[in-house]
Amino acid sequence: MIRTDKNVFILETNQTAYAFRTVETGVLQHLYYGCRLPRAEDYDSAPVILNQPGNSLVDNDGRCREDLLQEAGTVGWGDLRAPLVDAMLPDGGRSCDFRFSHFERPEHALPEGLPASEGGETLKVVLKEHTHALYLELYYTVFEDTDVIARWSRLINDEAETVWVTRLMSQQLDLPAGEYDLITFRGAWAREMDMVRQNLAGELRWSSNTGGSSNRCNPFAMVCRRGCGEEAGEAWALNLVYSGNHLGIAQVNAYGSVRLTQGMGELGWQLMPGEKLDSPQAVMTYSDRGFSGISQHMHPFIKKHIVRGAWRDRERPVLVNSWEGFYFKVSHRKVVQLAKNARNIGAELLVLDDGWFKGRSDDSRALGDWKADPKKLPDGLAVLAREVNEQGVRFGLWVEPEMVSEQSELFAAHPDWILGHKNQAIGRNQYVLDLTRPEVCSYVCDSMTAILSGADIAYIKWDMNRIMSDVFSPALPPERQGEASHRYILGLYGILDKLTKAFPDVLFESCASGGNRFDLGMLCYMPQVWASDNTDAACRSHIQWGYSYGYPQSVLGCHVSDSPNHQTLRRSPLRSRFNVAAMGLLGYELNPGELSSDKIQEIREQVEFYKAHRRLLQFGQFHRCPSAAGECFTMVTSPNGEEAAGVHFVWENQPNPQSVPLYCRGLEGEKTYHLTSRSTPPRITDFGSLANYMSPIRIRSGSLVEKAADRFVKLPQDALELKASGRAFCQRGFYPIQPFGGTGFNGATRLMRDFDSRLYLWTEDAE
Ligand code: GLA
């Protein structure tokens, strides 16, 4: 709900409130962002400092802005913090003084050409620069149901001369003096979303200048009170509905108060007379229940207001992806066989990854030439898709449309279509296409439309495998080069808007070498993202844990791959690879045809289990539960509290380990639950020479005797069954079966290898 009370604006959600007011001079003073307060007057209590001691400045009206909490900081006027807007006025000065003009309550108000969250109730506040015809519009959209507020800014130049904009941020949040920490999610290729917590002092930044939202630093960040933890304490979270460069600044000023600003970062934008510039939309939320509260606001918000279209609430198919099974060595016969194998394990979609288009024998060529390779797929995509469908699975395809290889027909025909000069730092032998140019966007759109309308394609994996190095467009004059990176993203969004509207039933999965463009902007077009190229179960459980702070598992592509893993060469149990992938959108990135019959059977049972609990696993509420060091325990609970699932992952098996209970989250206190565990029987091969302790005959590791024993000797499998109230599972916890730790093994022992895990299921006990 949005309330305006005299000069105070109050934006209320179910549990939170955001308030600001206009002071007499027209400057917008930020008042509060926290829990909802009972009375409107409760929000209007902050002082305006009239006289700052020492060498601080006062404005024309005698007010000091240096420590004034504000909504829209500018350059000059004694405010020394990072501004929301930095614009050079026609005379070269940058000191802008934006003051309140009026407010409106528009029905629809979205930034032009940019994705934005759907729904909510909007307030538009218009500010005018005191001495120039320059207007700053601030938009606030309140999502009451999910406790999120979205914001963006528009700058309008009604001067007769050009204004140069170097910064137009999406949101600014000023917090009162206190002790805070900044939490950001940093990483690199195959190491995404590592949580970094830093004491907030001076100035800290979280940003990307890779041309995309980047795996180096995700736009999602949190600021919290120093003592805040998973379940208690105050935290604020910010994110951006944008896929390009971003900049977040967290500053503590000389008086200890904090300014957070976030937006698309530095620009060099020429705003001509009569023109306007829109920032991307940003989102923020507040929690007084620690980081879990942040996730419990952001997850439903993304599920309801960011992800859209036919697939928003639809269960996602279990897929088999050809990449790690075949790499570039694909052929019609192999793909049809893979479809058969996919069907055999119960998968519903076969995704033909890289390697299918003309001349694509490795990653040094062919990007841009989006026609089926006549040698590998002589009958073309339409026939292939039909034959895959005949095997009982849908057909999906990998594309990387924003790129061109130097060795390609497209590059030969249009060498000037690349972003940057030919001589630039190069990644994966490919250039980025210049999407600031309408004719290049049309080419991309047309070639993708031809693919999608030429064959029965149910799914597209849209990849983007390099970062940008020379963000220069030959199509723009020198004075507009500072616009190139934002114009690229606008071009991309134009393409995605057209394609997703033209093919509304196609399931799109965004990918950029895994998580190099994992952001709310892409999620407005594509309901899921390939979270990381790293499919190692141990790494993945860490990466998925990082994503979970800001993103729900319903947008996370998670695959079971072979062992040893192709990124780490680590061996891990198949059950554990499944358990980790089951806490997201399940797929298999291997060729089931190369597995032994018992592994295939194990996978069949996994897929069957996943499908039976798919709504819970994909769309249930996600919880990070307390766990011991070196372990991680996550749960999902159904909205009606009838069902829950959880995975307890252990990095390193320990001898003679401690017994530590696992504490559940999200179960309903008064309900009684029946807990069961899901495991697979141990194998003789798990024990190596230790098997001789029990065996009447000598078994050598790797011998035929061992293989025979492995086949015929069935060892007892651990199986936990418990009944307790939801409150007992959460407060008192439960003890997993004692793990094998050096001595004694029987059915009451849980055989854990390194990187092993158990999956638990809770069902409401009706009695
Ligand atoms: C990227 C993707 C992978 C795969 C390859 C194909 O690395 O992240 O999943 O599709 O490209 O070249």
Side-chain angles (χ1 to χ4, degrees):
M1 190 167 72
I2 296 174
R3 291 200 273 163
T4 51
D5 187 47
K6 291 187 222 117
N7 60 337
V8 179
F9 297 89
I10 304 164
L11 282 49
E12 282 173 333
T13 67
N14 281 344
Q15 299 178 53
T16 72
Y18 183 94
F20 59 94
R21 72 174 171 200
T22 55
V23 299
E24 304 83 67
T25 59
V27 170
L28 289 190
Q29 181 185 18
H30 175 75
L31 295 172
Y32 176 77
Y33 192 21
C35 286
R36 261 175 91 147
L37 304 177
R39 302 153 62 244
E41 307 85 74
D42 291 340
Y43 298 105
D44 189 11
S45 61
V48 178
I49 297 155
L50 290 178
N51 224 334
Q52 198 76 20
N55 62 354
S56 299
L57 305 179
V58 290
D59 63 19
N60 294 341
D61 302 291
R63 261 88 174 172
C64 180
R65 296 190 202 171
E66 184 167 337
D67 194 32
L68 182 71
L69 306 190
Q70 293 178 61
E71 288 296 297
T74 51
V75 176
W77 299 105
D79 182 1
L80 305 170
R81 295 160 291 186
L84 185 81
V85 185
D86 190 348
M88 194 194 282
L89 297 164
D91 68 357
R94 288 168 51 213
S95 182
C96 289
D97 189 8
F98 285 107
R99 298 189 181 205
F100 181 76
S101 157
H102 62 280
F103 75 90
E104 295 168 26
R105 299 288 307 278
E107 278 286 315
H108 298 286
L110 300 174
E112 266 181 41
L114 288 158
S117 43
E118 288 186 324
E121 194 191 348
T122 299
L123 168 72
K124 165 179 167 184
V125 178
V126 182
L127 310 177
K128 184 188 170 302
E129 209 285 325
H130 206 39
T131 51
H132 294 85
L134 192 62
Y135 295 88
L136 176 63
E137 297 179 349
L138 305 178
Y139 291 84
Y140 300 82
T141 300
V142 179
F143 295 90
E144 221 171 305
D145 56 345
T146 54
D147 294 296
V148 167
I149 296 175
R151 302 167 67 171
W152 60 281
S153 344
R154 169 174 284 168
L155 194 63
I156 304 169
N157 180 12
D158 271 351
E159 283 283 312
E161 286 173 79
T162 304
V163 167
W164 287 79
V165 186
T166 52
R167 192 181 285 181
L168 178 62
M169 301 295 258
S170 305
Q171 65 182 345
Q172 170 181 325
L173 174 60
D174 285 0
L175 298 172
E179 301 276 295
Y180 298 93
D181 288 344
L182 174 70
I183 295 163
T184 50
F185 295 85
R186 296 170 187 271
W189 174 74
R191 287 196 275 110
E192 294 86 348
M193 297 302 277
D194 197 20
M195 183 174 179
V196 178
R197 184 168 183 159
Q198 293 163 285
N199 278 5
L200 188 48
E203 180 175 311
L204 296 174
R205 291 181 170 221
W206 73 104
S207 64
S208 160
N209 57 357
T210 62
S213 50
S214 142
N215 49 23
R216 312 306 199 271
C217 184
N218 195 270
F220 173 74
M222 299 187 285
V223 164
C224 63
R225 300 266 187 203
R226 193 134 301 157
C228 178
E230 176 63 23
E231 297 182 342
E234 285 193 297
W236 294 260
L238 310 177
N239 205 346
L240 212 52
V241 189
Y242 193 58
S243 313
N245 287 340
H246 62 90
L247 173 64
I249 306 176
Q251 292 172 311
V252 181
N253 75 1
Y255 300 89
S257 67
V258 168
R259 171 162 297 172
L260 304 167
T261 41
Q262 190 182 30
M264 62 180 148
E266 309 299 345
L267 292 171
W269 197 279
Q270 262 191 302
L271 197 61
M272 310 297 270
E275 281 186 353
K276 58 179 189 292
L277 176 65
D278 290 351
S279 80
Q281 194 181 55
V283 297
M284 60 182 186
T285 191
Y286 162 82
S287 152
D288 64 347
R289 291 164 292 126
F291 311 133
S292 66
I294 294 288
S295 305
Q296 278 157 30
H297 298 167
M298 283 299 185
H299 289 195
F301 169 75
I302 292 171
K303 290 191 224 176
K304 261 177 121 166
H305 301 292
I306 291 286
V307 175
R308 63 204 60 187
W311 284 96
R312 190 184 81 163
D313 303 318
R314 228 164 117 185
E315 292 178 15
R316 311 294 162 73
V318 176
L319 62 84
V320 168
N321 179 297
S322 68
W323 180 237
E324 291 193 5
F326 295 160
Y327 289 107
F328 295 98
K329 294 180 191 140
V330 300
S331 72
H332 182 102
R333 187 190 54 77
K334 283 166 79 178
V335 175
V336 175
Q337 182 58 45
L338 189 61
K340 203 180 276 179
N341 298 339
R343 174 70 196 166
N344 185 34
I345 59 163
E348 298 146 311
L349 172 72
L350 185 273
V351 178
L352 172 54
D353 208 282
D354 202 350
W356 62 268
F357 46 99
K358 204 170 157 207
R360 183 72 166 173
S361 47
D362 54 41
D363 68 6
S364 69
R365 65 198 82 223
L367 289 171
D369 301 342
W370 298 110
K371 299 247 162 46
D373 185 88
K375 288 199 198 107
K376 295 179 185 175
L377 309 177
D379 300 327
L381 284 177
V383 174
L384 180 64
R386 200 187 61 224
E387 288 185 24
V388 166
N389 289 343
E390 281 164 8
Q391 301 305 322
V393 290
R394 304 301 310 274
F395 180 64
L397 198 62
W398 176 95
V399 291
E400 195 181 356
E402 298 161 64
M403 299 289 154
V404 62
S405 309
E406 190 175 350
Q407 286 189 63
S408 66
E409 289 170 13
L410 181 64
F411 189 83
H414 300 285
D416 57 329
W417 276 13
I418 60 167
L419 197 65
H421 303 84
K422 178 146 187 297
N423 181 22
Q424 59 171 280
I426 205 89
R428 222 188 180 204
N429 311 299
Q430 61 199 51
Y431 290 105
V432 183
L433 284 171
D434 182 359
L435 299 190
T436 72
R437 300 169 73 147
E439 65 276 28
V440 181
C441 293
S442 299
Y443 173 82
V444 171
C445 228
D446 294 348
S447 45
M448 291 304 116
T449 304
I451 291 174
L452 282 162
S453 47
D456 187 1
I457 293 172
Y459 160 107
I460 285 283
K461 178 174 171 191
W462 183 290
D463 211 339
M464 199 279 194
N465 275 320
R466 60 158 286 181
I467 58 172
M468 298 180 194
S469 58
D470 184 21
V471 186
F472 160 82
S473 167
L476 293 171
E479 63 278 13
R480 286 198 170 270
Q481 291 302 331
E483 302 176 11
S485 79
H486 183 50
R487 286 192 185 277
Y488 177 94
I489 298 293
L490 291 173
L492 171 66
Y493 287 151
I495 296 168
L496 298 182
D497 188 52
K498 278 196 196 123
L499 288 174
T500 51
K501 281 188 178 134
F503 301 96
D505 294 323
V506 171
L507 172 61
F508 283 87
E509 178 154 353
S510 171
C511 171
S513 310
N516 192 41
R517 210 165 51 183
F518 197 115
D519 59 69
L520 301 182
M522 292 310 284
L523 283 171
C524 285
Y525 302 101
M526 309 194 181
Q528 58 192 65
V529 189
W530 177 228
S532 174
D533 273 359
N534 190 342
T535 48
D536 177 284
C539 298
R540 259 309 184 111
S541 59
H542 184 73
I543 292 168
Q544 291 171 204
W545 177 274
Y547 278 120
S548 78
Y549 286 89
Y551 303 92
Q553 80 280 11
S554 59
V555 304
L556 246 72
C558 304
H559 297 177
V560 174
S561 60
D562 212 353
S563 177
N565 174 271
H566 290 200
Q567 291 75 45
T568 58
L569 297 182
R570 203 186 333 258
R571 289 175 197 276
S572 56
L574 177 56
R575 61 168 170 255
S576 197
R577 283 175 270 149
F578 166 72
N579 291 346
V580 173
M583 295 303 266
L585 308 173
L586 178 69
Y588 288 80
E589 189 122 352
L590 42 73
N591 181 0
E594 287 179 1
L595 300 176
S596 61
S597 56
D598 51 350
K599 288 265 183 300
I600 291 179
Q601 183 52 30
E602 189 177 337
I603 291 183
R604 261 196 219 122
E605 287 164 19
Q606 293 174 346
V607 174
E608 200 185 326
F609 174 88
Y610 185 83
K611 285 180 178 168
H613 302 282
R614 174 157 40 188
R615 180 138 291 276
L616 166 70
L617 293 165
Q618 296 189 343
F619 293 97
Q621 191 176 32
F622 190 91
H623 308 268
R624 291 175 299 274
C625 306
S627 55
E631 302 187 358
C632 117
F633 180 37
T634 53
M635 282 182 71
V636 283
T637 51
S638 65
N640 53 17
E642 283 170 3
E643 239 201 329
V647 169
H648 174 221
F649 187 92
V650 177
W651 268 268
E652 253 180 51
N653 191 34
Q654 299 292 343
N656 189 17
Q658 290 175 304
S659 282
V660 184
L662 292 176
Y663 298 95
C664 300
R665 290 296 175 257
L667 298 175
E668 284 187 21
E670 301 305 320
K671 285 194 166 141
T672 303
Y673 291 93
H674 182 217
L675 164 75
T676 49
S677 65
R678 189 171 188 284
S679 185
T680 49
R683 312 286 299 254
I684 287 284
T685 46
D686 289 328
F687 291 88
S689 60
L690 184 58
N692 292 305
Y693 187 76
M694 304 266 292
S695 171
I697 51 160
R698 179 95 197 137
I699 300 179
R700 258 192 316 113
S701 247
S703 65
L704 286 176
V705 178
E706 187 193 48
K707 281 197 188 113
D710 190 47
R711 237 180 114 198
F712 296 112
V713 178
K714 298 287 165 231
L715 295 173
Q717 171 184 327
D718 61 277
L720 183 65
E721 269 204 69
L722 290 172
K723 198 166 156 180
S725 67
R727 183 153 304 131
F729 276 120
C730 294
Q731 298 300 320
R732 186 204 62 197
F734 75 94
Y735 288 89
I737 290 181
Q738 185 191 348
F740 171 78
T743 54
F745 172 77
N746 55 37
T749 331
R750 181 168 45 113
L751 189 85
M752 292 290 277
R753 292 167 43 192
D754 284 351
F755 324 114
D756 209 347
S757 58
R758 288 292 182 274
L759 195 152
Y760 297 99
L761 198 67
W762 290 259
T763 39
E764 189 186 348
D765 197 297
E767 285 163 29

